[in-house]
C-alpha cells in the first residue's frame, strides 16, 4: 500500500527545480550553487551573511565560501564590514546580477506554476496557507 505522502516527491521536486535552473547557470557561466546563492540573497534581502546561506539554504560552508569568492570576482556581489558589527561581513547583490535575478525569478515562477498546475484555486490557497504554517512552526522550533 502506498503511503499518503511519498517523501520521494521532495527529491523529485528539487531535481526538477535544479534541472530548470541549469540553462541559466550555463548562460552566465556560473555553477548551480552560484545561481542558488544569488537567488537566495536577491529574494531574501533580510539575509545578508554567509552563515545565513549555510543555515537557511542548506549549502555547505566550504561551498558557500568558494562560490562567494567567485561571485565577488565576477562582480555579482560585494562583501563589506557590517555596520552593526565590523567583525562580520555582509553580502550585497550588485546591479550586475540583476539579469540573472530576473531570469531566475521567471524560472522560479514557471516552476511553481507547473508544480501547482491543475490544482483548484481554493485548494491551492489552503495548501499555501498550510506551507506557511509549517514554515512558521520551523521558525518557532529554532528557539528550542
Amino acid at each position: 500500500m502506498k503511503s499518503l505522502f511519498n517523501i520521494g516527491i521532495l527529491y523529485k521536486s528539487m531535481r526538477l527545480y535544479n534541472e530548470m535552473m541549469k540553462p541559466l547557470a550555463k548562460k552566465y557561466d556560473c555553477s548551480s550553487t552560484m545561481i542558488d546563492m544569488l537567488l537566495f540573497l536577491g529574494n531574501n534581502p533580510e539575509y545578508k551573511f554567509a552563515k545565513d546561506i549555510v543555515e537557511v539554504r542548506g549549502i555547505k560552508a566550504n561551498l558557500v565560501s568558494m562560490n562567494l569568492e567567485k561571485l565577488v570576482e565576477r562582480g555579482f556581489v560585494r562583501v563589506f564590514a557590517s555596520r552593526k558589527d565590523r567583525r562580520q561581513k555582509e553580502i550585497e547583490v550588485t546591479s550586475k546580477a540583476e539579469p540573472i535575478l530576473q531570469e531566475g525569478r521567471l524560472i522560479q515562477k514557471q516552476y511553481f506554476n507547473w508544480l501547482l498546475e491543475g490544482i483548484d484555486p481554493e485548494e491551492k490557497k489552503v495548501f499555501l496557507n498550510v506551507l506557511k504554517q509549517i514554515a512558521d512552526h520551523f521558525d518557532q522550533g529554532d528557539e528550542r
Side-chain angles (χ1 to χ4, degrees):
M1 180 175 154
K2 274 193 156 184
S3 70
L4 184 59
F5 182 75
N6 181 341
I7 197 71
I9 195 170
L10 298 175
Y11 174 74
K12 289 177 185 177
S13 174
M14 285 308 301
R15 191 172 63 200
L16 173 63
Y17 178 84
N18 291 332
E19 284 299 314
M20 290 177 75
M21 286 294 173
K22 277 184 181 179
L24 179 65
K26 185 174 182 175
K27 178 179 179 178
Y28 289 96
D29 191 30
C30 290
S31 69
S32 58
T33 303
M34 290 167 71
I35 296 294
D36 281 348
M37 289 171 58
L38 278 175
L39 284 167
F40 174 76
L41 293 166
N43 291 341
N44 305 284
E46 66 273 23
Y47 296 115
K48 301 177 184 314
F49 302 101
K51 72 177 181 133
D52 295 329
I53 300 169
V54 172
E55 292 172 4
V56 179
R57 187 59 186 87
I59 300 172
K60 293 183 179 180
N62 63 330
L63 287 175
V64 170
S65 178
M66 181 179 69
N67 284 284
L68 186 56
E69 268 184 46
K70 293 176 184 177
L71 289 170
V72 170
E73 288 170 10
R74 303 272 302 274
F76 294 136
V77 299
R78 68 182 201 95
V79 177
F80 57 94
S82 172
R83 293 164 189 88
K84 293 179 183 175
D85 182 348
R86 310 266 319 139
R87 295 171 296 178
Q88 290 198 328
K89 303 287 185 210
E90 288 189 27
I91 307 166
E92 179 180 78
V93 178
T94 67
S95 60
K96 187 174 180 182
E98 196 56 39
I100 297 173
L101 293 176
Q102 288 177 1
E103 292 177 49
R105 288 172 180 146
L106 180 62
I107 294 168
Q108 288 175 328
K109 185 177 181 179
Q110 292 167 344
Y111 166 77
F112 285 111
N113 285 342
W114 179 88
L115 201 63
L116 300 174
E117 186 178 301
I119 298 176
D120 176 77
E122 237 356 88
E123 289 176 329
K124 205 180 290 188
K125 190 175 175 182
V126 169
F127 174 71
L128 294 173
N129 185 38
V130 169
L131 282 180
K132 183 187 178 323
Q133 289 177 42
I134 291 170
D136 291 346
H137 183 70
F138 271 108
D139 290 344
Q140 292 167 0
D142 288 344
E143 297 165 7
R144 284 186 270 155

